[in-house]
Amino acid sequence: MSGQSLLVPGELSPTRSVPGNIRRPEYVGKPMPAPYTGPEVQTAETIELMRIAGRIAARAMEEAAKLIAPGVTTDELDRVAHEYMCDHGAYPSTLGYRGFPKSLCSSVNEVICHGIPDSTVLNDGDIVNLDVTAYIGGVHGDNNATYLCGDVDEESKLLVERTRESLNRAIKAVKPGRQINIIGRVIESYAKRFGYGVVRDFTGHGISTAFHSGLIVPHYDAPHATTVIKPGMTFTIEPMLTLGTHEYDMWEDGWTVVTRDRRRTAQFEHTLVVTETGAEILTLP
C-alpha cells in the first residue's frame, strides 16, 4: 500500500453549461427525481435507445481516462467527459441529479463512490474511478471503471484487476429465472478469497428512462434480494471492493463516500439488459 496522504476536498469550478437543444432529464432543477412507475422489463425500442446512451457514456469515460496522469486534476477529467457527451447530443446524467454539481464522479484511492471532480491533482501511484452516465433519447446509460495513475503499487493493482473480474463473473451469472441475489453471491464469494471487503450500502440499480428505477442489485450475499431476473430487464452491476472494511464515512458535501479505515477501494460497472440466455452489456464503447 502506498504511503500517500489521504484525500481532502478541493475547490469546485463553476457549473458547466449544456447546450439548450439537449434534452434534460426531468429531475434537473429539482431537489429529487420523480418516483419511477414504469416496468422493469423494457421494450425493444427502449433497449435500442439504451444501447446508444450506453455507448456514448462508455466513450466519454474512455476519453476522460486518456488524460489520467500525475498532475492532472479531476476537474479536467470532468471537462473532457462533459464536452464529449454534449458534443454527441447527450446530457451528463449526474449534473443536477439531487444537486450533484458535476458531469461525472471521480473517486480517488479511499473514495468508494460519488467523489466530486474539483481542483484535486492526481498523484503518481493513485487509483481513480470514473463513473459516467449519459442521457439521450429519454434513457440513461451508466458505467464506471477504475484506472491506474502512474506507477501503482502491486496491492492496489491486484485490487483493481480483481474488482473488474468480480464484475465479469457477476455478469456471467445473470440468467432468466434466477433471483437477483445470485449477483451478490458470486461477487462476495470471489472477493472473500482475497480478504476484500464488499461495500453493502451502495448497490447496482434498475435503469432505463429513470436514472434509478427502484430495483436494487446488492453486491453481497443478500437473501432478501428475491426479485426474479427476466428477459428485458435493464439494470447496473457495479461492485465496490475494499482492501479493508466495507464500512464507510461521508464527507460534509453529502456525496463523497470514503472507507472508514481509509484503505483503498475499486469499482467497475456496466449497464445490462437480460436476454433469453444471459445478459448483454449496453455500455461498450
Side-chain angles (χ1 to χ4, degrees), residues 222-262:
H224 63 273
T226 57
T227 301
V228 175
I229 298 170
K230 299 175 183 177
M233 290 177 70
T234 50
F235 53 81
T236 72
I237 304 176
E238 45 189 297
M240 292 150 263
L241 305 187
T242 70
L243 289 175
T245 182
H246 69 270
E247 296 180 338
Y248 68 91
D249 295 318
M250 186 175 287
W251 284 4
E252 290 182 3
D253 61 24
W255 284 105
T256 307
V257 179
V258 296
T259 54
R260 183 156 294 169
D261 57 11
R262 303 306 191 263

Side-chain angles (χ1 to χ4, degrees), residues 50-118:
M50 290 182 69
R51 286 190 184 96
I52 296 169
R55 191 177 305 124
I56 292 172
R59 289 177 177 171
M61 185 173 72
E62 275 194 341
E63 289 302 307
K66 289 177 183 177
L67 271 72
I68 291 174
V72 175
T73 65
T74 55
D75 187 66
E76 181 67 3
L77 305 179
D78 181 80
R79 181 191 65 78
V80 171
H82 177 94
E83 291 180 357
Y84 185 92
M85 284 184 274
C86 291
D87 287 347
H88 291 80
Y91 185 92
S93 300
T94 60
L95 185 61
Y97 179 78
R98 295 180 180 268
F100 192 84
K102 292 296 174 181
S103 298
L104 58 70
C105 299
S106 56
S107 301
V108 180
N109 296 341
E110 70 271 18
V111 180
I112 295 171
C113 58
H114 304 159
I116 300 174
D118 57 20

